[in-house]
Amino acid sequence: MIRAVICDDEKAALIIIRHFIDMENLPIEIVGTAENGRDALKLIQTEKPDLVFLDIQMPYITGLEVLGQIKDSKVIIITAYDSFSHAQQALRLGASDIIAKPIDMEQLRNAIIRAIGWEFTENDLTNQVIAWLHLHYMEQIRLNQLSEMMFCSPSHLAHTFKKYTGCTLLNYVHKLRITESIRMLKNGESVKEAALRVGYQNLNHYYKYFKEFTGKTPAQYGRGGSNLRDEE
């Protein structure tokens, strides 16, 4: 799991980045946020995150001043200032990428990939599997076929994946599917539509895993927030 912090004095930026990470089902955990440069520096020094989303213009200390004191984290600069000199300075100080406000989802996606790629664990095999699953989770996943693609035995793949992620490959797939289905339900899709689109041909299985991972039923999940359509 990639540990990340968001340092920006605009709440809209915090919301957009969190939403994007949830929407894309990225294994990135936001371990803290800061709304000024002074707090940002303290947060980064305390949490030692793998990834930092950092605004340039913040109270007390600028993002560039904070960037100059960051050692072991990948940094994506977010700025409303279209300044070549700022960009040059940020890159000289070690920024992985720079994106402009208002934040564009495609730009954000590309910046994250350039900054961390799919290196979510310390194991290359596990990283390759995670990358593949995030693109194909809605398909029928067979351990034998996946292990053939990765040029290893099924038992080695299963053992290595669990060792570096803390969960079985099958549970990881279910978590991806349920998380994506929640987004669909919130967007107004029916339970049946969401289940089918994320890869569940059997609604009973969908309900089972939804309850297991969220503690609620699909309909209960949207109460008070989203108006879910009835199953068709």
Side-chain angles (χ1 to χ4, degrees):
M1 181 72 74
I2 295 293
R3 300 173 70 257
V5 298
I6 306 172
C7 305
D8 199 307
D9 61 340
E10 294 184 16
K11 289 191 181 296
L14 304 179
I15 293 170
I16 289 170
I17 294 171
R18 282 186 182 277
H19 172 71
F20 174 80
I21 290 170
D22 290 342
M23 182 178 68
E24 294 289 312
N25 296 322
L26 297 178
I28 297 176
E29 178 187 7
I30 303 300
V31 296
T33 63
E35 297 182 11
N36 64 68
R38 189 168 57 199
D39 289 345
L41 187 56
K42 290 179 182 178
L43 176 65
I44 294 165
Q45 291 172 340
T46 300
E47 293 293 341
K48 297 179 175 56
D50 304 298
L51 180 63
V52 177
F53 298 96
L54 182 64
D55 187 19
I56 284 183
Q57 197 66 31
M58 290 189 292
Y60 303 122
I61 304 175
T62 70
L64 292 177
E65 291 174 296
V66 174
L67 177 59
Q69 300 186 58
I70 296 175
K71 294 181 179 179
D72 300 318
S73 304
K74 298 287 188 179
V75 180
I76 296 174
I77 291 291
I78 302 168
T79 179
Y81 295 88
D82 186 13
S83 166
F84 181 70
S85 63
H86 276 161
Q88 274 190 319
Q89 189 176 354
L91 293 172
R92 264 198 316 269
L93 290 169
S96 298
D97 216 322
I98 301 169
I99 58 177
K101 294 180 179 179
I103 297 173
D104 175 78
M105 290 295 190
E106 188 63 28
Q107 277 191 326
L108 183 58
R109 176 185 292 106
N110 292 336
I112 291 174
I113 291 173
R114 282 193 291 265
I116 62 171
W118 289 99
E119 297 178 7
F120 296 122
T121 75
E122 298 174 356
N123 180 263
D124 289 338
L125 172 60
T126 306
N127 292 335
Q128 291 178 47
V129 174
I130 289 174
W132 191 89
L133 291 177
H134 276 261
L135 296 174
H136 300 277
Y137 64 85
M138 71 295 295
E139 301 171 11
Q140 189 172 25
I141 309 296
R142 297 185 184 277
L143 181 59
N144 287 340
Q145 292 178 346
L146 186 54
S147 63
E148 286 178 9
M149 291 171 51
M150 300 297 166
F151 304 102
C152 65
S153 69
S155 60
H156 176 71
L157 176 58
H159 174 77
T160 304
F161 190 89
K162 185 171 183 179
K163 177 181 177 181
Y164 286 95
T165 65
C167 69
T168 65
L169 192 146
L170 188 58
N171 274 348
Y172 194 92
V173 171
H174 286 308
K175 184 176 180 180
L176 284 177
R177 288 177 172 179
I178 297 305
T179 302
E180 178 62 14
S181 75
I182 289 171
R183 185 185 67 81
M184 294 176 181
L185 293 172
K186 288 183 176 180
N187 286 336
E189 294 195 29
S190 71
V191 172
K192 184 177 181 180
E193 287 172 335
L196 289 173
R197 285 187 59 189
V198 298
Y200 291 105
Q201 302 301 315
N202 186 313
L203 273 180
N204 287 334
H205 288 167
Y206 175 61
Y207 277 107
K208 172 188 173 183
Y209 289 110
F210 198 102
K211 181 77 172 179
E212 182 177 320
F213 284 98
T214 69
K216 302 177 182 179
T217 68
Q220 287 174 320
Y221 196 89
R223 284 178 186 168
S226 302
N227 293 319
L228 304 185
R229 287 158 47 195
D230 293 332
E231 293 176 39
E232 295 173 352

